[in-house]
Amino acid sequence: GQTGSTGATGPTGGNLSDQNYVFAYDNRTQTYGGGGFQDVTFNTNGQIDGWIHITAPAGVGTSSFICNQDGLYLIEYDIISRKTGGPSGTFSSRATINGVEISGSQAAVNINANNQPQGHTRAFIASFVAGDILRIQFTGDPAGTAGDFEIVAGQGSGTNRPGIT
């Protein structure tokens, strides 16, 4: 038989060229202050489009990444940590949306020896709506270890050696 008529054109979908990403890092050592999870600050935006992250005051930065577009996002973070004193313990990190831990975002490393950098990475997918705030946080365990755990920058070779990306 004959070919039928062409139907109506559907809506245009998104494409892979849509830009909505952030890559940030911090090139300072950040020391655990005690009292549970604390926010990690990021003082440099390597690449950013479609998110808001303020790096002021200069050299200090902030912890909040504000989403501007609803969607599912692949999030990955990499941390170099160390213990500077006290008993062996666990350095833990996690991500939050609006202050609530994102399931599956937590990573941890047990550190037995002082001043031995330990790296760990976590990747996960999370759903965000415009206005949601993403933060990365870290803590040390056992209790009473304030000042004994750090995110440590300056490890490895090269000119820019961040402690967290």
Side-chain angles (χ1 to χ4, degrees), residues 31-122:
T31 302
Y32 174 57
F37 280 96
Q38 69 185 45
D39 293 341
V40 175
T41 56
F42 292 81
N43 66 0
T44 305
N45 289 330
Q47 301 290 325
I48 189 167
D49 193 324
W51 285 74
I52 297 170
H53 176 248
I54 309 292
T55 57
V60 177
T62 62
S63 60
S64 299
F65 295 90
I66 303 168
C67 179
N68 278 331
Q69 181 177 329
D70 298 4
L72 288 174
Y73 290 88
L74 171 62
I75 301 163
E76 183 174 340
Y77 64 87
D78 181 66
I79 297 176
I80 300 172
S81 58
R82 74 176 168 198
K83 185 173 73 63
T84 59
S88 64
T90 302
F91 178 99
S92 298
S93 57
R94 69 180 184 181
T96 66
I97 297 177
N98 302 324
V100 177
E101 183 175 326
I102 300 170
S103 295
S105 71
Q106 194 169 137
V109 61
N110 190 39
I111 303 175
N112 294 314
N114 288 334
N115 299 311
Q116 296 296 312
Q118 300 264 337
H120 67 272
T121 298
R122 178 64 72 213

Side-chain angles (χ1 to χ4, degrees), residues 2-24:
Q2 290 185 334
T3 301
S5 60
T6 301
T9 301
T12 302
N15 61 58
L16 294 177
S17 67
D18 289 344
Q19 296 180 345
N20 200 2
Y21 52 83
V22 62
F23 167 68

